[in-house]
Amino acid sequence: MDPAPRRCSLLKRALLLAVAVLALRLLYGAFLSVAGTTTSWPLHPAAASVARTHVQADVGAPEAWRSRHWRKAVDYHAAVLSAHLADGFLAPASRDVCLGGAQEALALRELGVSAAVAVAKKRAPPLVVAGNERRLPFHDSSVDFVFAGRALDSAKRPSDLAAEAARILKPQGHLVLLTSSAADAYSVRSLQALLPSLRLLRSRDISGPDDSSPPLRELVFHKLFHDTPTSSSLGVGGGNSVNNCTIGDHKLQLLSSAEPLIQEEPLKPWITLKRNINNIKYLPALADISFKRQYVYVDVGARSYGSSIGSWFRKHYPKQNHTFQVFAIEADPTFHPEYATKKGVTLLPYAAWVKNETLKFEINGDPGKEEEAKANGRGMGRIRPTAGNKMSGGEVRSVPAFDFAEWLKQTVSEQDYVVMKMDVEGTEFDLIPRLFDTGAICLIDELFLECHYNRWQKCCPGERSPKYDNTYEECLDLFSSLRESGVLVHQWW
């Protein structure tokens, strides 16, 4: 046979095969665009073990997108998302954005949602557009459905990503996220605080991607017409209203696991209260604190850096790998120079008080501790609002004081995690009521309070300290009222 006709025949066959492949791809794309009514997947047991019933989209992508692991992830997310398609939370014609990866966007496309895209640091057409958790590349109120996947679990600042998801979502749109962190009422409430314009519709446990994965919590949010929070978006099963704020059941539940208060006055408080530290149930040991905007430790009456910030908080407080911003509030100028060299600590060289004014500050005024204070160059000072109150004979100075409750309200919000230690030499009986009156008490997640009273003296057996007029019973009443109001407070020493 002549080689020329043979070459011509082979060329014709190759061209016909190419045309056939192109036609098949076009027909498949047309079919995919109308394949929005696929069979809904059951989610339990694990979705990855169920036979596929959705259409696999032929989307041009890197080879990694075609791996077995990647295909398994697509199948899992298709199972999760098909339920929301059936519930009407998303539709084939809706504009959908995925925050957890390209597998999620492909899963939506295979379910018939042709406009679905994912967001990642690097652009990867046709599934992925470039963006980051602080600025998603979409206009305000322009997206019908946001599937966050587990993006909030891995985000460096989940509060920023949550705010961006809420920003781009249209009123009446839906946000769905998966997380391993919302297993308790406290963490669910923290997540809701990050999404004040959205209302939680439902929360349920679902299977993980495979049999070895732990269960996940799926939460579905619905955006309200307006971006202003409502009372229904801020509560989990209601709450107790306390002076301008609401302390929800999420905090009341924590108290059921808190260590009991010491009911009887200790004869040796310097021993009993110190030992009580071993009984303290810290909040991060009781709940997940992941969904917070920032983490703040406020030491009111901080004294030296090593007194509690360096020796206790930074070494022993369980932080769940979060970095805390530290505020040291200390009026005694003896301690101020030390803080200039401490990174991550902001010194407020004032006295915490109920209003802005000048107060009297007594240095070395604690009976039985004068020699200790002198040897260490430290004042065991106390604040008094008027010059007429009795002092114990120590040096008296005038110091500026500030409205602590108002400062707290301007510095932190409900979206923040706030730990506070308060050792203010008796003025806790003034500051705590002020925190309640202003509603600032609701901003405190955990409080370590040293209550000062006329306790038995270590130096003088059988004698009470003349420094304070309050009794142990009054201190116990203060602790009890805090806990009854939903504040996780611990007896400090």
Side-chain angles (χ1 to χ4, degrees):
M1 184 175 181
D2 191 355
R6 176 182 293 181
R7 286 196 299 271
C8 182
S9 177
L10 290 175
L11 181 60
K12 288 181 179 179
R13 290 179 183 180
L15 288 173
L16 288 173
L17 180 61
V19 171
V21 170
L22 179 60
L24 286 174
R25 288 178 65 91
L26 291 174
L27 287 172
Y28 180 78
F31 171 75
L32 184 61
S33 67
V34 298
T37 56
T38 60
T39 304
S40 178
W41 279 25
L43 193 55
H44 301 284
S49 65
V50 183
R52 289 196 296 268
T53 58
H54 57 274
V55 178
Q56 292 191 18
D58 185 15
V59 178
E63 287 303 315
W65 291 12
R66 304 183 187 278
S67 67
R68 179 180 298 179
H69 174 76
W70 210 85
R71 183 67 246 172
K72 189 175 182 179
V74 173
D75 293 342
Y76 173 76
H77 288 107
V80 173
L81 289 161
S82 62
H84 302 295
L85 190 65
D87 291 340
F89 294 155
L90 69 154
S94 61
R95 187 181 185 189
D96 302 335
V97 171
C98 301
L99 305 180
Q103 302 101 323
E104 300 168 0
L106 181 55
L108 279 171
R109 292 197 180 192
E110 292 183 350
L111 291 172
V113 185
S114 59
V117 294
V119 180
K121 291 182 179 179
K122 293 184 178 180
R123 180 174 174 267
L127 292 178
V128 182
V129 297
N132 59 68
E133 62 188 43
R134 293 198 173 189
R135 189 64 184 177
L136 298 176
F138 305 99
H139 295 298
D140 296 357
S141 302
S142 61
V143 175
D144 299 296
F145 182 87
V146 175
F147 183 67
R150 298 193 63 186
L152 265 68
D153 283 352
S154 59
K156 292 183 178 179
R157 290 179 59 87
S159 60
D160 290 343
L161 185 57
E164 277 295 279
R167 178 186 66 80
I168 67 173
L169 196 62
K170 293 179 181 178
Q172 301 303 305
H174 292 86
L175 164 68
V176 175
L177 62 89
L178 309 180
T179 178
S180 59
S181 299
D184 57 87
Y186 179 87
S187 59
V188 172
R189 179 63 189 84
S190 300
L191 180 56
Q192 284 184 282
L194 297 181
L195 298 164
S197 63
L198 276 66
R199 179 172 63 91
L200 180 63
L201 286 183
R202 73 184 186 203
S203 174
R204 61 173 181 167
D205 291 331
I206 66 170
S207 302
D210 51 56
D211 294 336
S212 62
S213 301
L216 299 174
R217 177 64 63 89
E218 180 192 65
L219 299 103
V220 181
F221 292 88
H222 180 219
K223 188 171 184 179
L224 308 176
F225 279 109
H226 304 290
D227 288 335
T228 55
T230 66
S231 57
S232 62
S233 68
L234 296 179
V236 181
N240 294 333
S241 180
V242 180
N243 296 330
N244 302 326
C245 69
T246 298
I247 298 179
D249 292 344
H250 63 291
K251 287 189 176 181
L252 296 175
Q253 291 178 11
L254 294 174
L255 294 172
S256 62
S257 302
E259 74 282 357
L261 297 173
I262 302 172
Q263 298 294 326
E264 295 186 7
E265 179 183 356
L267 297 177
K268 296 181 178 180
W270 56 90
I271 296 178
T272 303
L273 294 174
K274 186 174 182 179
R275 287 177 177 173
N276 189 53
I277 293 179
N278 297 324
N279 300 323
I280 287 177
K281 302 293 181 63
Y282 295 101
L283 194 158
L286 303 174
D288 194 302
I289 63 172
S290 298
F291 296 122
K292 292 291 184 177
R293 186 186 64 169
Q294 61 179 345
Y295 300 83
V296 179
Y297 172 61
V298 183
D299 198 324
V300 191
R303 296 169 57 198
S304 68
Y305 174 81
S307 178
S308 59
I309 297 175
S311 63
W312 166 68
F313 180 76
R314 284 193 159 170
K315 290 184 178 180
H316 301 294
Y317 186 82
K319 305 175 185 66
Q320 294 187 6
N321 295 321
H322 298 292
T323 300
F324 279 71
Q325 182 179 3
V326 178
F327 291 95
I329 301 175
E330 178 52 58
D332 192 339
T334 304
F335 306 111
H336 295 173
E338 179 184 12
Y339 285 100
T341 60
K342 302 302 179 183
K343 294 182 179 180
V345 180
T346 300
L347 172 66
L348 278 68
Y350 316 109
W353 188 231
V354 298
K355 59 182 178 179
N356 300 327
E357 64 176 344
T358 300
L359 300 178
K360 299 297 182 181
F361 185 84
E362 183 181 19
I363 307 297
N364 299 340
D366 196 348
K369 295 188 178 181
E370 293 87 349
E371 294 302 320
E372 176 189 344
K374 183 177 180 181
N376 292 290
R378 297 175 178 177
M380 305 297 291
R382 55 186 174 134
I383 304 296
R384 285 294 179 266
T386 63
N389 288 10
K390 64 179 182 180
M391 296 287 186
S392 59
E395 178 186 353
V396 177
R397 299 179 184 176
S398 295
V399 296
F402 71 109
D403 190 330
F404 173 67
E406 288 300 325
W407 171 84
L408 188 65
K409 292 174 67 175
Q410 294 174 12
T411 305
V412 300
S413 75
E414 189 188 11
Q415 295 182 343
D416 303 322
Y417 183 77
V418 180
V419 183
M420 184 180 298
K421 190 225 76 181
M422 183 178 288
D423 178 7
V424 287
E425 303 296 322
T427 54
E428 60 269 17
F429 288 97
D430 301 290
L431 291 177
I432 296 298
R434 173 68 174 165
L435 290 172
F436 273 101
D437 291 341
T438 59
I441 193 69
C442 295
L443 300 174
I444 302 172
D445 291 274
E446 190 166 21
L447 174 61
F448 299 84
L449 174 63
E450 179 175 353
C451 189
H452 299 78
Y453 63 98
N454 59 344
R455 65 184 187 177
W456 300 110
Q457 296 190 73
K458 185 177 181 180
C459 67
C460 315
E463 295 185 16
R464 291 186 178 274
S465 170
K467 186 175 177 181
Y468 306 106
D469 296 327
N470 300 100
T471 65
Y472 185 80
E473 288 72 20
E474 290 175 303
C475 282
L476 190 59
D477 288 342
L478 184 61
F479 283 108
S480 298
S481 65
L482 283 164
R483 286 202 172 182
E484 289 169 1
S485 300
V487 180
L488 183 59
V489 62
H490 308 285
Q491 289 171 295
W492 204 239
W493 65 282

